[in-house]
Each structure stands twice: as structure tokens, then as C-alpha cells.
Amino acid sequence: MGASYRIAEAATLLGVSDDTVRRWIDSGRLPAARVGSGPAHVDGADLARLATELHDAPEPGTTRGSSARNRLAGIVTRVVRDTVMAQVEIQAGPFRLVSLMSREAADELGLDVGVRAVATVKATQVSVDVP
């Protein structure tokens, strides 16, 4: 099984409240599973799908608060690999970020759909870290 997230983690990645995530689970919009009597978990791939659906690109010129030092936490929504390079898409709240990196770097970071990642933006470069 891939990455999975507790409700609070899913809410943070989507930029919504815990209660909103619970409502989506209750309504069937977001599948969740519970192991025994433990907390509910959301599959990373399901979370990535919903993140992509939720956030269209902001209007040009729109600004929103950003994290300190231009670090944007989000979830990987798409990874395209070839023999040398990888294209990684991250949904960080309302922002979709795309990073091109070596395939080796993407493989070493374990970047796949549903994995939490942090994009660090500096000038024209986007660097991706795994928390």
C-alpha cells in the first residue's frame, strides 16, 4: 500500500479543516479506511485526486500567504519518468507546482502519486524535499 494520511494531515495538505475532510469522508467524496479501532486514514492516491479536483489555478495577479522561506507543502499528484528525467507535479493548497529533476532524484525521494512533498521555490528553480 502507498502513503496514507490521518484526517488532520489530509486537511492540512488540502488547506481545509478537519471537519471538512470528515464530511467528505461521510458523504463518500473521499474514501477512508480504519484499521481496527484506530484512527481513519486516507489513501495518498485518493487524496491526490481530490487535491487536483479542488484547486484550480488562481487568477493571474492573485496573491495568497505563503510559508516562510517559500516552502510550499503539498501532495504529489503526478509523476512522469523517462530514462533520464522526471516531471513531478505537486498540489500545494491552491497552487500547482511542476518540477523537472533527474529520474534518480525522484526515485531516491520516493516521489509517487499521493506522497507528501515540500517544494522550495528560489528564483526560477523549484527544489523538492520529502518531510
Side-chain angles (χ1 to χ4, degrees), residues 7-128:
I7 289 174
E9 293 173 317
T12 299
L13 291 169
L14 295 175
V16 299
S17 71
D18 296 7
D19 288 336
T20 297
V21 171
R22 284 187 192 92
R23 282 192 297 274
W24 288 338
I25 290 169
D26 292 343
S27 72
R29 183 173 188 189
L30 182 62
R34 192 178 298 269
V35 178
S37 62
H41 277 78
V42 176
D43 180 68
D46 291 328
L47 192 61
R49 176 193 48 77
L50 182 59
T52 302
E53 290 173 11
L54 287 177
H55 296 291
D56 294 326
E59 292 296 318
T62 302
T63 59
R64 298 190 185 207
S66 64
S67 60
R69 297 183 299 179
N70 300 320
R71 293 175 53 85
L72 302 166
I75 187 165
V76 176
T77 57
R78 183 170 184 241
V79 180
V80 178
R81 289 177 168 91
D82 67 15
T83 56
V84 177
M85 297 298 293
Q87 176 181 321
V88 179
E89 295 183 21
I90 299 171
Q91 191 71 42
F95 302 103
R96 177 180 159 263
L97 301 142
V98 179
S99 178
L100 298 177
M101 65 183 67
S102 70
R103 180 191 177 119
E104 180 180 11
D107 290 346
E108 286 179 3
L109 289 170
L111 295 174
D112 285 308
V113 172
V115 171
R116 184 183 349 206
V118 177
T120 304
V121 180
K122 182 171 181 172
T124 60
Q125 173 189 335
V126 175
S127 173
V128 177

